[in-house]
Amino acid sequence: MTATFTPVSALERDRHDLTALVAEIERAQQQEDVEGFLALFAPTAVWVNGAGRRLIGLDEISEFTRGVLPGAMADGSVTYEVEHIAFVTPDVALTGVRQQYLDADGKPVAADGAGSPSYLWSRTGGTWKIVAGQNTAVIA
């Protein structure tokens, strides 16, 4: 799938950087790298996990992540593919992602193993951080 962008005139460097950051989310999840995952968030970020629980601030996000990420990939893995990037301003962007959980053999888990997370990124001092995120399950 080829990602789409709005506006289409968005800088290629920014599109590349945000796509690379989503790849870092994937890597951190696959490797159960708690610190790598948490490093992607701004201190005041708001995160809604796949179960619908809203976590406000890096302390809450950290506590939750430290409790669920270690061991999360014991029976499989996950992939992330950027579907769309919308630039709200030159320093605020939304990435729409296709998430697919895989079983231990690398095969996609049934329909309940798919997600459609959105990450709102803000760039400060040249660094993009997640300021809000929604990890939404896809209901078949």
Side-chain angles (χ1 to χ4, degrees), residues 9 28 31 37 48 53 55 58 84 86 92-93 100 104 108-109 127 131 133:
S9 62
Q31 296 178 8
F37 181 75
V48 180
R53 181 175 167 205
L55 306 167
L58 191 53
H84 183 73
V92 176
Q100 180 63 57
V109 175
T127 303
V131 293

Side-chain angles (χ1 to χ4, degrees), residues 5 8 11 20 25 27 29 31 36 38 40 45 48 56 64 68 70 96 109 112-113 115 118-119 122 126:
F5 308 96
V8 293
L11 294 177
I25 294 171
R27 185 209 63 78
Q29 291 286 318
Q31 296 178 8
L38 294 173
L40 297 165
V48 180
I56 300 173
F64 174 79
V68 299
V109 175
D112 64 346
S118 295
Y119 309 111
S122 178

Side-chain angles (χ1 to χ4, degrees), residues 85-131:
I85 300 176
F87 288 88
V88 180
T89 73
D91 293 317
V92 176
L94 177 77
T95 53
V97 176
R98 169 79 173 149
Q99 176 189 59
Q100 180 63 57
Y101 284 93
L102 308 171
D103 66 18
D105 295 323
K107 295 179 183 164
V109 175
D112 64 346
S116 187
S118 295
Y119 309 111
L120 184 65
W121 303 84
S122 178
R123 178 171 43 197
T124 304
T127 303
W128 291 100
K129 295 287 186 178
I130 297 170
V131 293

Side-chain angles (χ1 to χ4, degrees), residues 31-78:
Q31 296 178 8
E32 299 178 2
D33 178 2
V34 171
E35 297 310 317
F37 181 75
L38 294 173
L40 297 165
F41 289 86
T44 59
V46 176
W47 178 256
V48 180
N49 68 20
R53 181 175 167 205
R54 183 175 295 113
L55 306 167
I56 300 173
L58 191 53
D59 288 344
E60 281 189 26
I61 296 167
S62 295
E63 180 181 351
F64 174 79
T65 301
R66 291 179 199 291
V68 299
L69 187 53
M73 299 293 121
D75 296 323
S77 190
V78 65

